[in-house]
Amino acid sequence: RGSAAGRLGLAVASGLLVASAFPPLDLGWVAFIGWVPLFLSLSGAGPREAARLGFAGGLAFYLATIWWVINTMTTYGGMPLGLSLVALLLLAAVLAGYTAAFAWLVATGEGRLPLPVWLRPTLAAILWTALELARTYLFSGFPWALLGYTQHREPTVRLLASAVGVYGVSALVMLVNGTTAALLRRLVWRGSGEGSARDGWVAVGIAALVVLATVGYGRGIWQDPTGGPAVRVGLLQGN
């Protein structure tokens, strides 16, 4: 399903798209479709190739997202610029390992486990969220650039965090990505492994119910607390 170069291009483009959902561009809506090219690149890929594609997409994403650590290392750490660039590349490579693990698990599940096609987007969202949790705490943790943070300016979706935290928002965003990719795969590749029309409708129904529940919670149960008179706040960061 496409050349190796084409798959790699999709994976890298995916990482750059999702990076645009973070500052400075801050295009939060892109996060809902940004990982779709990566999903498409994984179609028909074996676990090893999927891991490589996930690593490439993750490396592009982290290099474009956490570039600011260079300034942190040079300005506050006194590190030479060249060494800080090497440190950034190493850090991005370590973090890209989580994206590689995600792609490997997705490909393994699709290729070796008898999973219903309609359930795959939900499981992908669960896997992504679990890996974000792991990234937050393992090896001292790196909780920056979580997918849910892209919705910090969205007045409805961000309120979901009050119930399930930023990880719940990440799960919602990835669920929409996975569902969109599954629909595109079925439209483009109408072959075995892509499921029936019923599978597609069930997957869309699950995503729609989650989105509607999020909107209902944000507008009917919990109201956005922004607005009103300004409050002066002082922060003092230790060390």
Side-chain angles (χ1 to χ4, degrees):
R1 309 239 177 129
S3 65
R7 290 177 183 270
L8 180 62
L10 283 173
V12 172
S14 212
L16 296 177
L17 273 174
V18 180
S20 72
F22 289 84
L25 294 180
D26 222 5
L27 304 175
W29 63 270
V30 177
F32 286 97
I33 58 172
W35 286 122
V36 169
L38 176 63
F39 276 108
L40 295 179
S41 74
L42 299 179
S43 182
R48 289 187 179 181
E49 183 183 7
R52 289 193 291 268
L53 292 170
F55 181 82
L59 187 64
F61 167 71
Y62 287 109
L63 287 176
T65 305
I66 62 170
W67 51 267
W68 47 264
V69 301
I70 294 177
N71 182 64
T72 302
M73 290 184 286
T74 56
T75 303
Y76 302 104
M79 185 180 293
L81 178 60
L83 190 57
S84 68
L85 290 172
V86 173
L88 170 63
L89 182 60
L90 291 175
L91 175 60
V94 170
L95 297 175
Y98 289 96
T99 316
F102 170 75
W104 182 85
L105 288 168
V106 168
T108 300
E110 291 186 0
R112 301 181 182 180
L113 300 178
L115 298 174
V117 174
W118 59 266
L119 188 58
R120 291 175 182 175
T122 301
L123 291 179
I126 293 173
L127 286 173
W128 180 272
T129 307
L131 288 167
E132 280 200 343
L133 274 166
R135 176 161 70 85
T136 299
Y137 295 104
L138 286 181
F139 311 117
S140 81
F142 193 88
W144 284 267
L146 301 180
L147 193 57
Y149 291 149
T150 60
Q151 304 307 301
H152 71 99
R153 293 170 57 182
E154 213 295 322
T156 299
V157 177
R158 68 182 179 189
L159 297 181
L160 183 63
S162 66
V164 291
V166 65
Y167 304 101
V169 182
S170 293
L172 168 66
V173 174
M174 187 51 77
L175 176 63
V176 174
N177 273 274
T179 304
T180 303
L183 288 177
L184 288 175
R185 285 169 58 167
R186 171 154 181 78
L187 290 174
V188 176
W189 300 301
R190 295 176 178 272
S192 61
E194 303 306 331
S196 63
R198 177 180 176 275
D199 287 314
W201 283 114
V202 172
V204 171
I206 292 173
L209 284 175
V210 174
V211 171
L212 288 174
T214 300
V215 174
Y217 177 79
R219 297 188 177 182
I221 299 177
W222 181 266
Q223 299 299 318
D224 195 328
T226 58
V231 178
R232 184 182 295 273
V233 177
L235 296 176
L236 180 61
Q237 178 175 331
N239 195 14

